[in-house]
């Protein structure tokens, strides 16, 4: 069974940085796509970034492109989301999600496993 645990959320000032992590137990990320989604209060959950574990391919939402970076640590079986130049509109609960396939998807219903989320709040 796969369990995902997000961490690293918190309060940041506009222009600041946070680093989120997603650690998996039960299996490795090998052969999977690992993604970050976020959901702001009163809004639908939206795609943020994803990486294909085996190939290192990445994809970002336009709203975070150039500011956020998704990366992985094979030894720790952990995926990170480095968030720089944070804006108040980045405030949301951030979720780690995994699909047991190699093709990146931006559709939340394509993902098989989800973490419980970590709150990110950015003050202006």
């Amino acid at each position: 069974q796969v369990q995902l645990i997000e961490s690293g959320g918190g309060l940041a000032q506009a222009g600041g940085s946070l680093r989120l992590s997603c650690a998996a137990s039960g299996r490795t990320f090998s052969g999977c796509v690992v993604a970050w989604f976020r959901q702001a209060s009163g809004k639908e959950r939206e795609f943020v970034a994803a990486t294909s574990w085996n190939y290192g391919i990445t994809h970002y939402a336009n709203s975070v492109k150039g500011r956020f970076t998704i990366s992985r640590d094979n030894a720790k079986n952990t995926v990170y989301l480095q968030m720089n130049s944070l804006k108040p509109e980045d405030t949301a609960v951030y979720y780690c999600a995994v699909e047991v396939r190699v093709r990146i998807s931006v559709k939340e219903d394509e993902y098989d496993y989800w973490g419980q989320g970590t709150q990110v709040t950015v003050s202006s």
Side-chain angles (χ1 to χ4, degrees), residues 32-110:
C32 298
V33 168
V34 184
W36 290 95
F37 289 77
R38 67 186 183 186
Q39 186 168 24
S41 180
K43 297 184 178 180
E44 296 182 356
R45 188 156 54 190
E46 65 176 351
F47 174 84
V48 176
T51 184
S52 174
W53 186 269
N54 293 60
Y55 305 131
I57 298 171
T58 59
H59 182 66
Y60 298 91
N62 288 336
S63 60
V64 306
K65 193 173 300 181
R67 300 188 298 119
F68 292 9
T69 303
I70 189 169
S71 62
R72 69 178 190 262
D73 186 325
N74 292 45
K76 296 181 179 180
N77 202 41
T78 299
V79 168
Y80 303 98
L81 185 68
Q82 180 67 46
M83 304 185 294
N84 297 328
S85 302
L86 284 165
K87 304 175 181 179
E89 50 263 45
D90 295 319
T91 296
V93 176
Y94 284 71
Y95 298 90
C96 178
V98 172
E99 60 173 313
V100 189
R101 294 186 296 274
V102 297
R103 185 186 301 113
I104 289 177
S105 174
V106 301
K107 299 173 62 178
E108 64 181 79
D109 59 4
E110 294 288 332

Side-chain angles (χ1 to χ4, degrees), residues 11 16-17 33 38 42 71 78 115-116 120-121 123:
L11 178 65
S17 299
V33 168
R38 67 186 183 186
S71 62
T78 299
Q116 294 183 342
V120 170
T121 302
S123 62

Side-chain angles (χ1 to χ4, degrees), residues 2-50:
V2 175
Q3 294 181 332
L4 303 176
I5 301 176
E6 304 100 332
S7 62
L11 178 65
Q13 189 175 358
S17 299
L18 287 172
R19 187 194 192 197
L20 307 183
S21 64
C22 174
S25 63
R27 65 162 293 159
T28 70
F29 285 130
S30 180
C32 298
V33 168
V34 184
W36 290 95
F37 289 77
R38 67 186 183 186
Q39 186 168 24
S41 180
K43 297 184 178 180
E44 296 182 356
R45 188 156 54 190
E46 65 176 351
F47 174 84
V48 176

